[in-house]
Each structure stands twice: as structure tokens, then as C-alpha cells.
Amino acid sequence: PRWRLGDRNPAVFPGFCSTIVLNNPRRRNALSLPMLQSLRRDLLHDVKSPELRVIVIAAEGPVFSSGHDLKELSSEDDVKHHSQVFELCAEVMTLIQKLPVPVIAKVNGLATAAGCQLVASCDIAVASEKSQFATPGVNIGLFCSTPAVALGRSLPRKVALEMLFTGEPLTAHEALMHGLVSKVVPEDKLEEETMKISQKICESSKSVLALGKATFYRQITQDLDTAYKITTKVMVDNLTLRDGQEGIEAFVQKRKPVWSH
């Protein structure tokens, strides 16, 4: 589903937010192969639309996502099938960070294993107070090695490793304290807060945001000197964008910018 941002003032909030809903609560929104294929398809669905500004990933039911469907990982399936599941999951998680628009996880419930990985892979995560986050694979003999990639890049190492070694969950406020989520709000405020963040994003130029997001993920894995070399060049490139000059001119002229996106 889509919801249009700023219908009352489209000049300020042009564009729309695409909401992807994990909708298999009977299976605890497990990231089965069909679910991952659907998620990849939905993430790419509107990506070329000039009006797309934000993508929100939400879920039906009390569990945001329980991670992989363990029935797909039994010995009844061969190694090729197992590889397909994990490779597609990795593709979806990296795709989120390659998209030209911010992706927000709207979490209202339990997120475990690859479900926790999905939250950690999003650019922003807003969680209700009842949400919890865990990587309990170690308890069933399947260490959460792929979730650890996203977890280890979102949390301090010792916090991530405690989660991975024990399988014990973080509360929403612990997840906020350690940086796994951006905000924690009461359940009845979750939709409002997610929309508020989305609308704020829509006040900026899409082309500037796309450049900034791509650069952030490019530089974050580099050493300090390399990171500054990359970002120094990008700042110069940013100034060559039409919206880069429009923003500066609007600031000098004390008016609101009119973005071309």
C-alpha cells in the first residue's frame, strides 16, 4: 500500500511512502523463501518512481518476524536449497542499503534471528515499547552468523556477541540504548511517529538524500583518511546538483527551496 505524504500541502511534502507489510502472522512472519522473494519484489516495485520518497517495512500480528522458516532448513532439503535461502536473504538485506530512498522498519512485536537482521539492516527503526529483539539461533544449534553481519554493524561488539552467544532478547529500550533502533514509542503512537519521520524526510531533495545515503554506506567501512577523501569529493559533487545550488540560493534568499528531485 501507498500513502501520500502531505496531501494538504503537496508543495511541501510531494511524493508518497510505500509500505510493505509482512503478512503471514500464522507463521510468525517467517522469512521463508517465498516471503523473501516477495520482499525483494516489493522493495524494487516503485524504486524508479520519481515520487517515491520513503519505504516502510511493517508487519501484521504480535511477531514482526521470527527469522528463517526452519522447515526449509531441515535435512530433507539439499545444500543447494539451503544456499538459495541464505543467499537471497543476504541479497535482500544488502538491497535495503542500496536503495536510493530511506527504509524505515516499523516494529511492533518480537523480531528474532533474520527478523532482527532485517531491523538492523534498515536505515531507521521505530519500535513500540512492547518490541523485543533476539538472535536465539545458538539455542537450536544454528548460530545466527548472517544476522550477526547486520547486528555487528549496528551494536557495540560486546552487546552483539552477548545476544549471539546467549540468545537472550533485548527490550525495546535496551535496543534504543545500544543503537539497534532509532526511537521507542508507545504502541498507539507508532504509526504517528513513523509518519512524522517520513514527512520530515520528504522536506528534503530526493537526489540529495540518494547521494547522501549511498555515500554514508560507502564510507562507513573505510579507514578515516579514505572516508574523508570519499566524502570530500561527494560534497563537491553535491554542489553540482541542481538541488544543491537551489538549497543554498534559497537559504541566502531566506525562502523555502523548490526541489527538482
Side-chain angles (χ1 to χ4, degrees), residues 219-235:
Q219 64 82 26
I220 199 67
T221 58
Q222 304 296 322
D223 64 80
L224 194 63
D225 288 340
T226 303
Y228 272 118
K229 286 179 182 178
I230 291 170
T231 53
T232 296
K233 182 180 184 306
V234 170
M235 292 290 284

Side-chain angles (χ1 to χ4, degrees), residues 43 57 72 79 81 91 106 110 116 122 148 153 210 216-217 247:
L43 285 167
I57 300 178
E72 292 184 338
V79 171
H81 179 79
E91 181 185 340
K106 185 175 76 170
L110 183 64
C116 186
C122 288
R153 285 162 169 74
F216 178 85
Y217 287 114

Side-chain angles (χ1 to χ4, degrees), residues 11-183:
V12 179
F13 302 121
F16 66 85
C17 170
S18 177
T19 302
I20 300 169
V21 181
L22 307 181
N23 191 18
N24 191 4
R26 291 177 62 186
R27 297 291 300 158
R28 295 164 62 87
N29 293 319
L31 296 179
S32 62
L33 193 59
M35 179 76 92
L36 287 167
Q37 290 167 337
S38 179
L39 181 54
R40 177 179 61 183
R41 183 172 60 251
D42 290 344
L43 285 167
L44 292 171
H45 179 68
D46 285 312
V47 73
K48 292 185 179 180
S49 170
E51 289 193 308
L52 179 65
R53 297 287 181 266
V54 184
I55 296 174
V56 172
I57 300 178
E60 287 291 334
V63 177
F64 178 79
S65 175
S66 60
H68 291 294
D69 186 342
L70 295 180
K71 289 184 177 180
E72 292 184 338
L73 305 180
S74 69
S75 58
E76 295 177 6
D77 293 306
D78 58 19
V79 171
K80 183 178 179 181
H81 179 79
H82 296 165
S83 296
Q84 185 181 9
V85 171
F86 290 118
E87 287 169 4
L88 179 57
C89 185
E91 181 185 340
V92 169
M93 301 302 168
T94 54
L95 172 62
I96 288 170
Q97 296 183 357
K98 292 177 182 177
L99 292 172
V101 296
V103 180
I104 303 174
K106 185 175 76 170
V107 187
N108 188 31
L110 183 64
T112 62
C116 186
Q117 179 185 4
L118 179 58
V119 175
S121 297
C122 288
D123 303 310
I124 296 170
V126 185
S128 70
E129 292 174 328
K130 74 174 188 180
S131 299
Q132 290 187 307
F133 306 86
T135 48
V138 68
N139 297 328
I140 60 165
L142 183 64
F143 197 87
C144 287
S145 292
T146 46
V149 175
L151 210 63
R153 285 162 169 74
S154 297
L155 293 169
R157 182 178 300 181
K158 290 179 174 58
V159 176
L161 285 171
E162 182 180 347
M163 289 181 69
L164 292 162
F165 289 157
T166 68
E168 289 298 304
L170 292 183
T171 66
H173 286 288
E174 287 171 334
L176 176 64
M177 179 176 64
H178 295 303
L180 181 58
V181 301
S182 316
K183 287 191 176 181

